[in-house]
Amino acid sequence: MNDISQSVNGGSVFRVDKFVVPAAAREEILVKVRTTHELLRQQQGFVQDFLLEQYSGPGEFNLVTIVEWESQAAVDQVVPIVKAAQERIAFNPQETIARLGVRADIANYQRIPEA
């Protein structure tokens, strides 16, 4: 599989975070996700975002977030901004996920060119 920073070539990058969230953790996770997305929407290179919750079907992930960025360069610029904001409010995503029993699958994606 190609490294996305080499294969995107200036096209959109999609950050897709998929979560298995226990019912007792739902509200806390939603607050954290919404807070993070408010910050993301203010950043240069942000295109759009979606917060999706599963309502039917056999899939294991019940919460999915998708953020579209103009390019890999935009993603690279926003990472330290998000980390600094999290440090300011003493929010550690890994600790929160572990504490709440949430499972996460997080990756960047790109569109597959049309044949």
Side-chain angles (χ1 to χ4, degrees):
M1 198 159 159
N2 293 336
D3 181 75
I4 194 162
S5 64
Q6 294 175 1
S7 60
V8 170
N9 294 326
S12 289
V13 173
F14 298 84
R15 168 69 180 249
V16 180
D17 297 355
K18 300 176 284 189
F19 302 99
V20 177
V21 179
R26 181 182 180 275
E27 289 308 313
E28 184 173 345
I29 289 296
L30 285 175
V31 166
K32 299 298 187 191
V33 167
R34 288 181 174 131
T35 299
T36 300
H37 280 242
E38 286 174 17
L39 174 64
L40 298 178
R41 290 182 195 114
Q42 299 170 21
Q43 303 309 308
Q44 185 173 348
F46 173 87
V47 177
Q48 63 180 337
D49 67 335
F50 300 94
L51 173 55
L52 308 171
E53 187 169 33
Q54 180 184 20
Y55 71 93
S56 69
E60 71 174 309
F61 298 105
N62 57 341
L63 184 66
V64 177
T65 67
I66 302 171
V67 179
E68 181 180 1
W69 296 97
E70 289 178 354
S71 64
Q72 183 62 44
V75 174
D76 294 342
Q77 288 178 346
V78 79
V79 169
I81 293 168
V82 171
K83 285 184 181 183
Q86 290 171 339
E87 288 174 7
R88 278 194 302 277
I89 63 170
F91 170 54
N92 181 323
Q94 293 79 18
E95 182 279 329
T96 301
I97 286 170
R99 177 175 53 81
L100 294 174
V102 172
R103 283 194 311 112
D105 177 43
I106 296 170
N108 289 338
Y109 292 81
Q110 65 181 11
R111 288 183 190 199
I112 298 173
E114 293 186 29

